[in-house]
Amino acid sequence: MLITERHRLILELLKEKENVKIHDLVELTKSSESTLRRDLDQLEKQNYLKRVHGGASLLQRKREEPSMVEKSTQNLKEKNMIAKYAAKLIEDGDCVYLDAGTTTYQMIQYLEGKNIVVVTNGIDHLDALLEKDINTYIIGGSVKKVTRAMIGSNAYESIQNYRFDKCFIGTNAIHYELGFTTPDPEEAQLKAKAIALSREPFILTDHTKFGEVSFSKFADLHQAKIITNEEESIILDKYKEKVEIYNVAFENT
């Protein structure tokens, strides 16, 4: 079978199933595993898909953005592991920025008793922070319904009044060459500014975000450290060339 025909069949199956295994492609194309791995590597380089353990996955749409309700039900165990580890990095006396998002929200349960100041753009974060008796500031702006985040020009102006020891930022996508991205340019602008204002910036991400690209870039890989549960060394080794990675999967084994 010609390589162009194999690629067409691979992409058609991906559109239908979103995730495919190597053995499924072997049956479909009647080709060897080594040939198909080369095909998947080539298609990944062309940004048609991303490699995952044992196969490939369809890339998310550039402007696709799940709601807070949808995100709150996805990868809960992994997000909690990441959040717990991230919270341990916060020390008494720190001034911290917590980005809006489900993983940063999970951090708050582990902040009780810490003598810190938190600035956030996450509306959902407020009650949880106040319940923990944490000195809290929210930046002003317009409210984005999907992510329940404060965004816009007023939020951007507001955040510039602060300086942070550490910031903890969520992301929709991480790509080895294209960096950290998110669907909304206004949220991207705010994330970028928080990173610039922080002595030590961290990106919180589960394993599903690696190899993805979203619409708006907010940082290069070298501009922040990553906290993740990704276990695949074939993925992590490549990223470690550009960014420091804290792997909670290994921390919890």
Side-chain angles (χ1 to χ4, degrees), residues 186-200:
E186 288 189 301
E187 285 203 69
Q189 185 183 45
L190 207 57
K191 291 173 190 285
K193 179 53 68 172
I195 288 171
L197 295 173
S198 297
R199 177 174 55 83
E200 200 171 7

Side-chain angles (χ1 to χ4, degrees), residues 37-101:
R37 287 194 179 93
R38 287 194 296 271
D39 287 341
L40 295 179
D41 287 341
Q42 183 175 345
L43 289 169
E44 183 179 45
K45 289 176 182 177
Q46 295 171 346
N47 290 323
Y48 285 112
L49 54 79
K50 70 172 181 176
R51 293 295 309 275
V52 297
H53 182 66
S57 179
L58 193 66
L59 289 170
Q60 68 180 14
R61 292 181 177 87
K62 299 294 184 288
R63 292 300 305 273
E64 186 175 53
E65 183 163 26
S67 69
M68 284 291 287
V69 173
E70 291 170 325
K71 288 193 286 188
S72 67
T73 62
Q74 297 170 349
N75 306 312
L76 291 179
K77 179 181 177 182
E78 292 84 356
K79 288 178 180 179
N80 188 63
M81 289 168 55
I82 293 165
K84 186 176 182 179
Y85 184 92
K88 289 180 181 178
L89 300 176
I90 298 176
E91 303 169 292
D92 281 347
D94 276 347
C95 297
V96 176
Y97 180 78
L98 286 187
D99 189 25

